[in-house]
Amino acid sequence: MKVVILAGGLGTRLSEETSVRPKPMVEVGGKPILWHIMRHYAHFGYKDFVVCCGYKGEVIKEYFLNYRSISSDFSIDLGSGKIDFHAPSDEDWKVTLVDTGADSMTGGRVRRVRDIIGDEPFCLTYGDGLSNVPIDRLVAFHKAQDKWATVTAVLQPGRFGALGMSEDGRDVTGFREKGTQDGGHINGGFYVCQPEVFDLIEGDATIWERDPMERLVELNQLAAFRHDDFWQCMDTLRDKTVLEEMWEQADCPWRQVYAPQPVAAPLDQTVAFLERAKQTA
């Protein structure tokens, strides 16, 4: 099963970083967030990637063209040009990079890789979100539902502080940072789709999250895989800072998936860390 990654957006709310590179190439822990996403899928055996490029797509292409030489020790014979790498690559991934247009919307980008995907189910995700969602369980759930698409429903991150109120609602009794559990569920990406979804996308201007997904709902062809553990997108510089700080911790929740020592922190510890990060931001 191929993994389609949407990596062509402008990332305007992260302009401090995206003026020189596309959003999926913004680094967390010295690696592009795109690499973290791919490493996550690869851990579960999904190593055939289709990256939908757009804005500054050449940066992504150059990264993978030079990937092995950058990440490995090697010897080069300057006379013949022969290169001997000292060790095999850690990643046995197949990466297909597709220019899906500078101005294409998310649905349009998916539609442009239809011929590459073929008549097979595929995973789909965004190039800016990290999670410890269990991909194996997600795919198994999708197959059991027998629907055209499954979306991962995650807890809405708490972005605003909350007021403690008296029972009659007249007095403020305190302040607190809003926790993750206070929100409802939102679209966290990490989809699994059947090829039938391509027929719901009209063209480059189609936004995947609007008409196609609304049609899936109307047709009763969209399932929801509930994931109440870690999920965090990188929309702003503040989000990047939070992810960087989490990466430095021994209990980094998404790294625990493919590097399970030590044991991953429970959800309440992850929430507590996010709340501490907000207070110091």
Side-chain angles (χ1 to χ4, degrees):
M1 186 182 291
K2 292 181 173 61
V3 180
V4 177
I5 304 178
L6 298 172
L10 293 175
T12 54
R13 286 185 288 179
L14 199 62
S15 58
E16 301 92 340
E17 292 273 357
T18 56
S19 60
V20 296
R21 52 186 164 183
K23 190 176 180 183
M25 295 303 293
V26 174
E27 293 185 352
V28 174
K31 294 281 191 179
I33 192 170
L34 178 61
W35 177 90
H36 290 274
I37 295 167
M38 295 169 76
R39 185 72 182 269
H40 181 81
Y41 274 96
H43 171 76
F44 292 97
Y46 297 92
K47 302 179 181 182
D48 191 348
F49 299 97
V50 179
V51 182
C52 299
C53 302
Y55 172 72
K56 294 189 179 297
E58 68 278 4
V59 177
I60 302 177
K61 291 181 178 181
E62 289 173 0
Y63 176 77
F64 285 105
L65 279 172
N66 299 314
Y67 185 85
R68 191 170 183 189
S69 60
I70 291 172
S71 59
S72 305
D73 295 334
F74 63 87
S75 300
I76 181 170
D77 185 322
L78 296 180
S80 66
K82 181 183 177 182
I83 299 175
D84 292 318
F85 292 97
H86 294 182
S89 175
D90 290 336
E91 285 81 29
D92 55 343
W93 309 342
K94 178 182 177 181
V95 185
T96 302
L97 300 155
V98 183
D99 183 355
T100 54
D103 300 318
S104 297
M105 296 292 102
T106 49
R109 297 191 191 284
V110 174
R111 185 174 182 267
R112 285 206 183 195
V113 299
R114 182 174 191 168
D115 290 344
I116 297 173
I117 300 303
D119 191 26
E120 299 178 358
F122 62 97
C123 292
L124 171 66
T125 195
Y126 303 103
D128 63 356
L130 294 175
S131 178
N132 59 357
V133 58
I135 303 299
D136 54 348
R137 289 171 51 197
L138 167 62
V139 173
F141 174 87
H142 170 76
K143 291 178 178 179
Q145 305 314 302
D146 194 28
K147 293 184 182 292
W148 289 359
T150 296
V151 59
T152 299
V154 299
L155 288 168
Q156 181 177 359
R159 292 186 179 269
F160 303 99
L163 294 175
M165 306 288 288
S166 60
E167 290 187 6
D168 61 11
R170 295 182 180 181
D171 300 317
V172 175
T173 59
F175 300 91
R176 66 185 177 90
E177 288 292 317
K178 184 177 180 181
T180 304
Q181 294 95 333
D182 291 334
H185 285 80
I186 62 172
N187 175 2
F190 295 96
Y191 306 91
V192 185
C193 301
Q194 298 299 122
E196 285 84 353
V197 302
F198 288 119
D199 293 330
L200 304 178
I201 305 171
E202 291 187 4
D204 285 351
T206 302
I207 299 173
W208 165 254
E209 299 80 8
R210 294 184 184 174
D211 288 349
M213 289 192 67
E214 289 170 1
R215 283 289 293 145
L216 286 168
V217 172
E218 292 172 3
L219 296 169
N220 192 29
Q221 289 292 339
L222 182 63
F225 178 78
R226 182 166 169 168
H227 178 67
D228 289 349
D229 209 315
F230 173 76
W231 177 88
Q232 176 69 45
C233 62
M234 187 177 65
D235 282 337
T236 65
L237 190 60
R238 182 186 182 192
D239 294 333
K240 178 184 183 301
T241 301
V242 168
L243 290 171
E244 285 275 13
E245 292 178 354
M246 294 185 77
W247 178 256
E248 295 299 324
Q249 305 301 310
D251 57 359
C252 174
W254 76 88
R255 185 168 58 185
Q256 298 306 312
V257 175
Y258 51 79
Q261 296 293 333
V263 177
L267 177 61
D268 58 348
Q269 292 183 29
T270 301
V271 171
F273 178 85
L274 287 170
E275 298 307 319
R276 291 197 301 272
K278 290 175 186 175
Q279 292 171 7
T280 58

